[in-house]
Amino acid sequence: MVTFTFSVNDENGLHARPAGLLVKEAMKCKSAVTLKKGGKSGDAKKIFNVMGLAVKHGDVVTVEVDGITEQEDADSLKKYIEENL
Amino acid sequence: MRILKGTGVCGGIAFGKLYLFSKTEKTVKRTHVEDTESEISRFEKAQQEALEQLEALHDKALAEVGEANAMIFEIHQMMLCDEDYLNSIRSIISDQGINAETAVAVTADNFAEMFSSMDDEYMKERAADVKDISERVIGILSGTGNVGTDYSEPVIIAAEDLAPSETVQLDKSKILAFVTEKGSSNSHTSILARTMNIPAVVGVEGLMEGNDGMKDAIVDGGTGTIYIEPDETTVSQMREKREDDIRRREMLDRLKNVNPVTKDGQEILLYANIGTPDDLPLVYANGGQGVGLFRSEFIYLESDHYPTEDEQFAVYKKSLEKMAGKRVVIRTLDIGADKQVDYFDMPKEENPAMGVRAIRICLNRPEIFRTQLRALLRASAYGKLAIMFPMITSVDEVKRIKAIVEDVKSELRSEEIKFDENIELGIMIETPAAAIVSDRLAKEVDFFSVGTNDLTQYTLAIDRQNSEAEKFCDTHHESILRFIKIAADNAHANGIWIGICGELGADISLTEFFLSIGIDELSVSPGKIPELKNKVIETDVTAVKGRVGEYLKY
């Protein structure tokens, strides 16, 4: 399993648009992708799960990528998040 | 005449008939089904059809209102493909043996409830999205079509609330304004209204109760007021207001891409004063060339703890990125006096305006200062940042500040954190002391910015908060103008630039004076930029330069 963290800069947090972008990107991964914030966790490929985490501006989110292609999936996801969220 | 109040989310005034947009309530009848397998596939077919409709809406929105607004239909498609949502519907059908319509409605309620219970305004709005997609599926299942519109003239759309799929289906050329009973400034209607730049008011209580369909109305998006069947006086007042509004907008459009250069070719920079990053779009909208005063206090005032370096860094970085290489002057913490923050735990002072405020707090408590400087310097790698220090009275203070800045810089270097090595450091000229010794101060810094509000208060010994004393306040007092002239001459003699960021900067009766003494930059609230720019381009400095003595009473 590969993990990394990112913090959300958008003042509205991980609202509809960025949540949608993240889900779209996570769907491209073969690995299972889990988001963790505080005590909660959710499947990054499910929009309701991601929105349900209620990630706010400044929150730090941990991403867990698990699967055969976990390293490359984590790398591309991290790059995408840094550039787009 | 009926007057209703709400929250204005997009300014402007519209006259027209009120079109009541009412949803055909889809009542779902609960029925028992035997063959749950085929009921599930009936649902899946409806889901596929809904996805196709959403795809079409997405394309329509993309063409009409742009990618940012169209994205919501992509989100809707994702929601409609969400495994948890689908599984909930399937299992309600198979476990309880009930019809697909009911299963969708129950699931929609459960998911909407999850959003409604969040303590986040933006997320609460998402409950409407879940209901919107679910109603679409129910509509397809039960064969009831979508809502239609039957107006041929442009109208004011009034609704309880508008779902994104409803707003996109409206004929945009026939909408004069949006008025809704529910909604917030984050709702789709608001976002859409701002994209289309038409007046919009949300949160209007009692809007749908009056049975006011097709009655004449006026919407004032600026004040958030709706006048239904307005009387003569209101009509003529609002007409006038609308004309003013249009004139202002025209001036703005005309001047937006014009550079502030006087008739005889003297240039001046017109920057904006802002209090939070939310004001940044206004800077662009009014043609600001940069930010001349970014008050960093809001980060401290809105927080319940000392803002961390990372919290501050994120805000500064984002603001610089939004200004895309234009200069942003951020003033370091300026609290004390009239701005107090609980967790700073400052002792009560007899005379706070002359007490421990602004830079004095920073020099007394260097740990707070260093945190802000680190965040600022780190952010400087992402745009053109200038740092400005408030409440300066002496050269010694500036030397101490510069030593701390240098120390923080070498700390960052040793940590291999990038920052702008040539970052500009400037000071506010807002005390008589600073103005008088500006010849020495100019040798220490890269720029001056005159804070005329405090400079006036300290020069004339008049409390800004005391309305009785204010009667004695002559804002054009020659002492203040002389101080500005002294600072300007000293700045230019030492090759640095000088700006004005106080209220006097926006006073167009002084623009000729400021241009005559060679002020390089004026920073005013964003909305005042167009008027000021108009004044600048109409001025011939060569012709008015001789009048400087009149202002200074020499």
Side-chain angles (χ1 to χ4, degrees), chain B residues 112-374:
Chain B
E113 179 58 33
M114 171 186 91
F115 286 118
S116 300
S117 63
M118 288 185 185
D119 64 340
D120 179 324
E121 279 312 311
Y122 203 96
M123 284 302 173
K124 279 185 182 163
E125 291 287 340
R126 306 284 76 78
D129 293 335
V130 184
K131 293 219 162 120
D132 195 20
I133 57 157
S134 304
E135 272 175 25
R136 175 172 302 281
V137 178
I138 294 169
I140 294 166
L141 283 168
S142 58
T144 51
N146 278 313
V147 277
T149 47
D150 53 359
Y151 48 88
S152 50
E153 288 301 299
V155 290
I156 296 165
I157 299 283
E160 192 189 329
D161 203 0
L162 286 167
S165 61
E166 289 164 344
T167 48
V168 83
Q169 282 166 25
L170 299 168
D171 180 351
K172 306 295 174 302
S173 63
K174 299 215 173 82
I175 304 171
L176 299 168
F178 283 118
V179 203
T180 63
E181 203 165 277
K182 291 183 183 161
S184 71
S185 65
N186 281 328
S187 57
H188 292 292
T189 313
S190 311
I191 297 166
L192 185 72
R194 285 194 288 264
T195 312
M196 294 168 61
N197 200 14
I198 59 170
V201 183
V202 301
V204 185
E205 265 182 58
L207 174 67
M208 305 302 279
E209 286 163 14
N211 206 10
D212 296 315
M214 295 323 267
K215 283 185 185 164
D216 283 318
I218 305 172
V219 177
D220 184 343
T223 60
T225 316
I226 297 115
Y227 306 90
I228 297 165
E229 298 190 309
D231 57 31
E232 289 289 319
T233 336
T234 310
V235 170
S236 62
Q237 269 173 3
M238 296 309 285
R239 280 237 163 82
E240 218 168 283
K241 197 172 169 190
R242 183 171 63 165
E243 270 157 33
D244 276 351
D245 205 56
I246 291 170
R247 256 199 301 275
R248 227 189 73 82
R249 282 182 194 222
E250 275 171 3
M251 181 160 86
L252 210 125
D253 281 344
R254 182 164 53 81
L255 294 176
K256 203 171 172 186
N257 299 311
V258 176
N259 283 326
V261 181
T262 64
K263 273 185 180 162
D264 50 339
Q266 184 175 324
E267 288 178 37
I268 190 162
L269 295 167
L270 296 185
Y271 285 1
N273 294 344
I274 61 168
T276 81
D278 294 343
D279 301 333
L280 286 168
L282 289 175
V283 181
Y284 270 108
N286 288 288
Q289 296 160 285
V291 174
L293 169 63
F294 184 130
R295 304 180 183 92
S296 64
E297 294 82 76
F298 82 96
I299 302 174
Y300 296 84
L301 295 167
E302 284 177 2
S303 182
D304 57 3
H305 58 274
Y306 291 104
T308 65
E309 180 182 322
D310 283 342
E311 282 169 354
Q312 297 192 48
F313 168 69
V315 176
Y316 302 145
K317 172 173 177 267
K318 195 175 170 198
S319 305
L320 285 163
E321 285 173 341
K322 273 195 182 161
M323 288 307 290
K326 293 190 160 101
R327 190 193 266 141
V328 177
V329 180
I330 300 185
R331 180 178 69 189
T332 58
L333 176 68
D334 186 6
I335 61 161
D338 51 340
K339 280 171 264 175
Q340 291 292 339
V341 181
D342 289 345
Y343 56 84
F344 270 78
D345 213 11
M346 302 290 293
K348 200 158 168 54
E349 294 177 306
E350 282 290 327
N351 191 352
M354 299 201 178
V356 180
R357 56 172 288 204
I359 201 68
R360 296 172 184 171
I361 297 179
C362 292
L363 289 173
N364 270 352
R365 299 171 70 174
E367 71 287 356
I368 296 172
F369 195 34
R370 291 180 75 99
T371 304
Q372 184 169 32
L373 288 174
R374 271 186 68 102

